[in-house]
Amino acid sequence: MKNVLTDRMLDFIAASPCSYFAAANAAWRLDEAGFTRLLESQPWKLTPGGRYYTMRGGSSLIAFTLPKTGLPGFIITASHTDSPAFKLKQNPHLPGKAYVRLNTEKYGGMLFSSWFDRPLEIAGRVLVRTVEGGIAQRLVELPECPVVIPNVAIHMNRTANDGAKLLANIDLPPIFAPGGAEASALALAAEAAGAAEADVLGHDLLLCNRQPGTYLGAGAPWIGSPRLDDLECAFACLEGFLSAPESASAQVCCLFDNEEVGSQTRQGAASTLLRDVLRRVCEGLGMGEADYCRAVAASFLLSADNAHALHPNHPEYADGENCPVMNGGVVVKFNAAQHYTTDGVSAALLESVCRDERIPTQVYANRSDLPGGSTLGNIALTQVSLHSADVGLAQLAMHSAFETAGADDPAHLVSLSRALYARTLRQSDHGGWTFQA
Ligand code: CO
């Protein structure tokens, strides 16, 4: 049902049309909370009890809070800032007699049909030459100039409802201006950045659905919004991080870009970003290499990315016994091929916390003949090897321009995130593990 936390999450998503804005909005919240921003290219002066964050690529962010004494291990959450969208090419116009269209390619695997016939906003960043001759990043959005990808009328394509094959180069360029018009998307982006078009040296601009989130259904049990995958988890993990009590562990909140294109980028989960931050934290606190290994071995990572809820019209796609529902609580994901990081040990650790804190959980596994999706946890673990579990919140229509999820679920992930941050992972001399509150 309607609640203040979910309202705030929908506001966060509405203010974050793409990964650059999501990371900037997270950074703004951290600034407000008194965190110190660190640049990767400069030395870090860290003090016990300090609160810091750093960004890479303008779209990934890691925030961390240090314990007042010692560093037994790291408690980490990871989610992603990006969502599928269309990205403008360097020469972004397709001139024509009747229309100027935009030349785009797809970023991530979206459900094409959901992107037709709705206003799409151009948003992202431009890199502009400064007066001093340097280069500065400016976030831009063009709310005055929404574009649209028009469907073909049913009268002209009678088989449109029989399952159409859609091609990104033929069917999906949006119309931008009438044919012969002088309009330039880059000139408008430059103007929005307060720069001359000639001073725009680079750009990353996407088409984003700016439809605001809303409650759905009788009694408002559900929410509909663009980008619930994965800004719902990103918001909930950050919220848990910012409201967590002091802990003996270092608390780390990771927001990674580029999950939707496989994470293998400079700032993605497959990059060295997390490892570099953890190493620099240890070094900054005067710890050696062996201390780093010891701390990582006693660490836990919660990989949070949304999960598929039981579909009302197509329940046959789900495993009947391992399928979550919206508002059923935090979904713990399992996969024998290890695309999800949850194993017996991490599932047990997570379950112990959820029982203590009365956080409802449910489980997800793919129907056994379907490959399912991928996420960022197992990719991050190739750089830093630690205990990890995959979770998410149940949603419908993943990668649609407008997705549906449970209105009560964000609170459950905030509770889990906060509960984990309050704990420290300890190993007994016999090898067993406890999450100490
Ligand atoms: Co996702």
Side-chain angles (χ1 to χ4, degrees):
M1 63 176 78
K2 287 186 184 178
N3 65 84
V4 175
L5 179 80
T6 299
D7 289 343
R8 286 179 46 227
M9 183 196 74
L10 293 175
D11 289 346
F12 176 80
I13 294 177
S16 306
C18 61
S19 60
Y20 306 105
F21 283 82
N25 286 326
W28 178 78
R29 285 200 65 189
L30 292 161
D31 290 336
E32 291 279 290
F35 280 68
T36 303
R37 179 165 178 183
L38 303 166
L39 296 177
E40 284 197 283
S41 58
Q42 290 179 5
W44 291 2
K45 274 201 205 87
L46 306 179
T47 49
R51 308 202 291 169
Y52 308 91
Y53 73 95
T54 190
M55 296 176 80
R56 188 179 286 183
S59 54
S60 287
L61 180 152
I62 295 186
F64 54 94
T65 300
L66 301 177
K68 291 216 166 101
T69 51
L71 200 163
F74 300 95
I75 300 295
I76 307 166
T77 64
S79 54
H80 64 92
T81 54
D82 60 325
S83 302
F86 291 95
K87 187 166 192 290
L88 265 61
K89 290 187 171 176
Q90 289 304 296
N91 293 321
H93 303 111
L94 292 167
K97 214 170 180 182
Y99 303 101
V100 178
R101 295 172 301 154
L102 293 179
N103 197 355
T104 60
E105 54 187 330
K106 66 193 184 88
Y107 173 91
M110 71 274 278
L111 281 167
F112 282 158
S113 62
S114 65
W115 289 77
F116 285 99
D117 306 327
R118 58 166 76 241
L120 298 171
E121 183 186 284
I122 299 167
R125 66 175 177 185
V126 292
L127 287 302
V128 299
R129 186 197 286 275
T130 60
V131 196
E132 303 81 34
I135 295 167
Q137 170 179 300
R138 302 248 194 281
L139 299 186
V140 292
E141 47 183 333
L142 307 180
E144 305 295 319
C145 165
V147 298
V148 68
I149 305 170
N151 245 310
V152 174
I154 187 73
H155 317 80
M156 292 168 171
N157 182 9
R158 292 283 177 190
T159 59
N161 294 327
D162 301 340
K165 181 158 178 63
L166 298 168
L167 299 173
N169 57 327
I170 304 289
D171 300 292
L172 293 153
I175 51 171
F176 171 65
E182 287 293 297
S184 152
L186 297 182
L188 293 174
E191 192 186 327
E197 190 181 357
D199 287 333
V200 173
L201 303 180
H203 60 82
D204 294 293
L205 297 167
L206 297 120
L207 303 185
C208 308
N209 179 14
R210 298 309 305 274
Q211 182 176 355
T214 182
Y215 288 87
L216 301 168
W222 307 304
I223 47 170
S225 169
R227 302 178 291 282
L228 289 172
D229 171 20
D230 191 28
L231 294 184
E232 186 174 20
C233 289
F235 173 86
C237 289
L238 182 63
E239 191 70 18
F241 174 76
L242 285 170
S243 61
E246 255 179 49
S247 162
S249 301
Q251 302 160 325
V252 184
C253 181
C254 307
L255 305 176
F256 286 115
D257 193 10
N258 301 136
E259 192 278 338
E260 300 296 357
V261 292
S263 296
Q264 309 222 5
T265 62
R266 184 168 97 84
Q267 60 277 333
S271 77
T272 58
L273 178 56
L274 176 59
R275 189 183 67 190
D276 292 347
V277 168
L278 300 188
R279 294 188 87 94
R280 290 183 77 164
V281 163
C282 287
E283 199 212 302
L285 295 179
M287 296 163 61
E289 179 67 19
D291 295 324
Y292 167 78
C293 294
R294 174 189 53 70
V296 165
S299 294
F300 190 90
L301 179 136
L302 187 78
S303 162
D305 196 358
N306 269 0
H308 304 294
L310 178 72
H311 195 280
N313 304 331
H314 287 283
E316 72 276 12
Y317 286 119
D319 175 308
E321 303 304 318
N322 294 276
C323 75
V325 293
M326 294 185 287
N327 295 322
V330 175
V331 181
V332 186
K333 304 185 202 175
F334 295 85
N335 177 239
Q338 305 298 302
H339 293 150
Y340 301 132
T341 56
T342 322
D343 62 11
V345 174
S346 63
L349 284 167
L350 204 60
E351 186 60 27
S352 71
V353 174
C354 291
R355 276 193 200 176
D356 287 354
E357 303 282 338
R358 297 176 200 279
I359 297 166
T361 60
Q362 41 186 348
V363 296
Y364 176 85
N366 296 320
R367 202 179 76 183
S368 302
D369 62 324
L370 296 176
S374 59
T375 182
L376 44 79
N378 65 327
I379 294 173
L381 259 50
T382 60
Q383 294 288 340
V384 189
S385 167
L386 32 69
H387 289 285
S388 174
D390 266 90
V391 299
L393 297 176
Q395 71 158 94
L396 296 171
M398 193 177 285
H399 292 192
S400 169
F402 191 80
E403 303 171 325
T404 296
D408 298 339
D409 281 331
H412 300 312
L413 185 54
V414 173
S415 299
L416 175 58
S417 162
R418 187 189 297 131
L420 283 173
Y421 282 128
R423 283 167 165 76
T424 300
L425 190 58
R426 307 267 186 199
Q427 189 167 33
S428 73
D429 295 339
H430 312 290
W433 294 95
T434 7
F435 252 140
Q436 225 169 54

